[in-house]
Amino acid sequence: MALRSHPNIRMTHPGPIGVFDSGIGGLSIARRIRELLPHENLLYVADSVHAPYGEKAEHYIQQRADTITRFLIDNNAKAIVVACNTATVSAIRQLRADYTLPIIGVEPGIKPAALQSKSGVIGVLATSQTLKSESFNNLSRLFSESVCVEIQPCPGLVEQIEVLDLDSEKTQALVARYVAPLIEKGADHIVLGCTHYAFLAPVIRRIAGAGIQVVNTDIAVARETLRRLQNANRLSTSVAPGQMAFWSSAANELADQQIKRLWDGNVTINTMR
């Protein structure tokens, strides 16, 4: 589903929108932002050396999120999108307390899944850190009277995506292992609770079967980014296509393979430590 761009909205701020993730998963969010706001410059950071965040301690994730946020601000970012579910639940509260620019996070699409479910059961695929977080459990409890929210941690999936192993037998076997319990419990919607999983959506749909809806929130995050920039009067006045800059903490060869495969065009990837 493509988003409509907004070429007639013209306010003021030339800086880029900073987007970061534990790795390449946040590219799914960056792509939606590019579709909606084609005149904005984007600065993307993939912290792939430290991926996955989902199996790490909360204080570690907070430290990495703060380091990357400072880097983005030093590079004139006018807003920051924390394009990682685990970093959002672990660090966004502190980031918003420490920095004044707009900071947008992501959360699993439990609400739309709950509102649309016919079976009364929805499943959530996510990392262990996301599923055990206070914010996730608060979100889940909001809808617990109307639907049963079944959760499924997915160790190993982020690692498969980071090495671009998106449709091998090993990846399909992992997806099947995690999806099957949700289907057996009657889930008719499967919520992607990690931005990386967007790149496995075709495999998840195929394995889950007809009639199971896969719910992603990438479009909602892009729209929230637009809203926050409008409210802060920080949209670009440019009519030229926005530029895209990529930074990664991974080795140059791996980062080059990752981003060039998942992002259209001939791009240059810079190294961040």
Side-chain angles (χ1 to χ4, degrees), residues 99-116:
Y99 303 102
T100 59
L101 76 172
I103 299 178
I104 300 97
V106 297
E107 65 178 24
I110 290 178
K111 180 178 180 179
L115 293 175
Q116 297 167 16

Side-chain angles (χ1 to χ4, degrees), residues 21-22 50-65 82 84-92 106-108 124-139 151-156 158-159 193-195 197:
D21 179 38
S22 64
H50 301 273
Y53 284 172
E55 310 304 322
K56 291 183 168 61
E58 185 172 73
H59 70 86
Y60 185 92
I61 300 164
Q62 291 169 347
Q63 290 173 355
R64 292 305 304 164
V82 184
C84 172
N85 292 81
T86 300
T88 296
V89 300
S90 299
I92 200 166
V106 297
E107 65 178 24
V124 182
L125 302 175
T127 66
S128 300
Q129 187 68 37
T130 293
L131 294 176
K132 70 182 183 182
S133 69
E134 180 182 0
S135 61
F136 174 83
N137 284 285
N138 288 340
L139 177 64
I151 64 173
Q152 179 60 60
C154 303
V158 168
E159 290 89 335
C194 172
T195 54
Y197 301 168

